[in-house]
Amino acid sequence: MSDYRKTELYDSHQNLKAKLVPFSGFWMPLQYSSIIKEHHHVRSNCGVFDVSHMGEFIVSGNNAKTFLQNVTTNDINNLEAGKVQYSAFCNDSGGVIDDLLVYHLGDYYMLVVNASNIEKNFEWLSSKLIDDVSLEDQSDTISLLALQGPLSRVYLKKLYPKIEKLKYYETLLPDNDKVVVARTGYSGELGFEIYAPNSIILKLWNEILSLSDDVLPVGLGCRDSLRLEMGYCLYGNELNEQITTIEAGLSWITKHETSFIGSNAMQNNLPSKKLIALISEERAIPRSGYRLFCKDKKEVGVVTSGGMSPCLKKGIALAYVDYEMRLEQEFLIGIRDNFFIFEKTKLPFYKNGTYLK
């Protein structure tokens, strides 16, 4: 048990009877009641996640913008103070080192990275540093809560009235307690992410749970099913160092005109595969690692994320298919000894998310 770290809220999760599982080096709550119940509660009301395992890097200095323009795929010139940007780090061959959020917090930037990649990212960024740029790993001092669901604004504005005016991917600047509240999330619903020093996160967690009997703690199980219904990429599933942002359907965050690291390789090499979204009318539950076939049963790809959609009651999957097969509309997924028909569809799978409202 000592091999895994604990967030500041570990004791609270135990008291709330959470099922704790190892995840990215931490003991994290998978669920408190059931994954399906928590999923539907976030879609209809409001749930709060402890996602303090995520990593936070602080980038500052006169050349911070120049540095970030080089190491991230999106155009940092479009990022004003009080705004957030989805982006990625790529290696020289265009493979994704990690996907991340970049917060412009006035006189510095905060990069929020995946827990499993903190050390790798920090070493890579350190190797790319230029003069007059400061890079700090604050992952061990910052905790993170995600309040997600269509009623999240109604509840959270009791604590932070200024969130009323935030649009999607906007953030309040740090307050006197060094708390950052941003309108971001991974659920497809209206929601907010709250970054705070470890010293006050338990107080904040309890305050948020006390806002209403309808604000329930929810776990990583429904975080995954919620993001899958939206078709959001997960590092280690849809993204890795052998896959480019173009192949992953993230061309919208891939601004070649900035000449970021990896951009030349991406422009000079044709994609070998393409991420597609699949849905089935048959009683079939696809899982990561299942093989994808064309109609004549020739293997053409692999499922990266899949499951039964709690809202649609259908099997859904994200899968990589050979690039030359990307325009096909129908595929087969091998599940045990059977083949099931899956149709290509447009994302998101779940169309009624409130994240833009």
Side-chain angles (χ1 to χ4, degrees), residues 8-20 29 31-32 202 205-206 209 217:
E8 297 292 320
L9 302 177
Y10 177 86
D11 290 342
S12 182
H13 299 318
Q14 282 200 313
N15 293 337
L16 291 165
K17 304 290 190 287
K19 180 181 180 181
L20 292 154
Q31 63 198 77
Y32 298 82
L202 178 60
W205 168 261
N206 288 328
L209 287 175

Side-chain angles (χ1 to χ4, degrees), residues 108-353:
Y108 67 94
Y109 298 88
M110 179 171 68
L111 314 183
V112 181
V113 302
N114 286 296
S116 57
N117 292 332
I118 292 172
E119 191 175 330
K120 175 183 77 168
N121 289 338
F122 194 75
E123 286 180 6
W124 183 78
L125 288 170
S126 298
S127 75
K128 305 298 179 188
L129 272 182
I130 58 176
D131 288 343
D132 213 353
V133 176
S134 168
L135 172 68
E136 301 171 70
D137 182 358
Q138 293 290 324
S139 307
D140 289 341
T141 65
I142 296 174
S143 292
L144 171 58
L145 305 178
L147 189 70
Q148 302 284 299
L151 297 184
S152 56
R153 185 195 286 123
V154 171
Y155 301 133
L156 193 61
K157 70 181 182 183
K158 297 174 187 175
L159 296 179
Y160 298 98
K162 291 180 182 176
I163 65 164
E164 188 87 67
K165 68 177 192 294
L166 287 182
K167 297 189 176 75
Y168 190 48
Y169 269 57
E170 290 185 345
T171 178
L172 300 180
L173 298 182
D175 65 13
N176 292 335
D177 294 322
K178 298 183 178 176
V179 174
V180 174
V181 184
R183 195 176 150 185
T184 49
Y186 199 45
S187 67
E189 300 300 334
L190 173 67
F192 301 87
E193 293 185 307
I194 304 143
Y195 299 85
N198 289 348
S199 56
I200 62 171
I201 201 67
L202 178 60
K203 175 174 170 284
L204 254 179
W205 168 261
N206 288 328
E207 283 177 346
I208 287 171
L209 287 175
S210 300
L211 289 171
S212 165
D213 290 341
D214 286 330
V215 178
L216 299 180
V218 291
L220 295 182
C222 78
R223 190 168 185 254
D224 191 54
S225 57
L226 289 161
R227 72 94 193 167
L228 178 57
E229 283 188 338
M230 296 304 295
Y232 295 154
C233 290
L234 174 65
Y235 197 88
N237 289 41
E238 287 70 48
L239 302 173
N240 61 48
E241 292 200 42
Q242 282 70 53
I243 292 167
T244 70
T245 52
I246 301 298
E247 291 171 331
L250 299 177
S251 55
W252 60 280
I253 65 163
T254 308
K255 311 297 187 186
H256 291 302
E257 62 272 19
T258 68
S259 299
F260 61 85
I261 293 168
S263 61
N264 285 341
M266 264 192 256
Q267 291 179 91
N268 293 335
N269 296 293
L270 281 173
S272 65
K273 50 190 166 292
K274 186 71 178 173
L275 189 68
I276 60 171
L278 297 167
I279 190 165
S280 183
E281 296 297 328
E282 301 192 275
R283 291 182 62 82
I285 304 177
R287 300 291 183 197
S288 175
Y290 285 5
R291 300 295 161 182
L292 196 66
F293 300 84
C294 61
K295 283 180 278 190
D296 62 5
K297 298 184 180 174
K298 177 192 167 195
E299 188 173 323
V300 293
V302 65
V303 173
T304 52
S305 294
M308 179 62 70
S309 162
C311 290
L312 306 179
K313 307 285 196 296
K314 293 178 181 179
I316 58 174
L318 296 173
Y320 276 105
V321 64
D322 294 343
Y323 196 68
E324 60 270 20
M325 298 294 294
R326 69 192 183 281
L327 300 179
E328 293 292 315
Q329 295 302 309
E330 190 176 283
F331 295 88
L332 302 172
I333 292 180
I335 303 178
R336 289 177 288 279
D337 296 326
N338 298 308
F339 290 98
F340 293 89
I341 298 170
F342 278 75
E343 304 282 343
K344 199 164 82 166
T345 188
K346 289 186 176 177
L347 291 173
F349 295 106
Y350 177 74
K351 313 289 188 193
N352 298 321

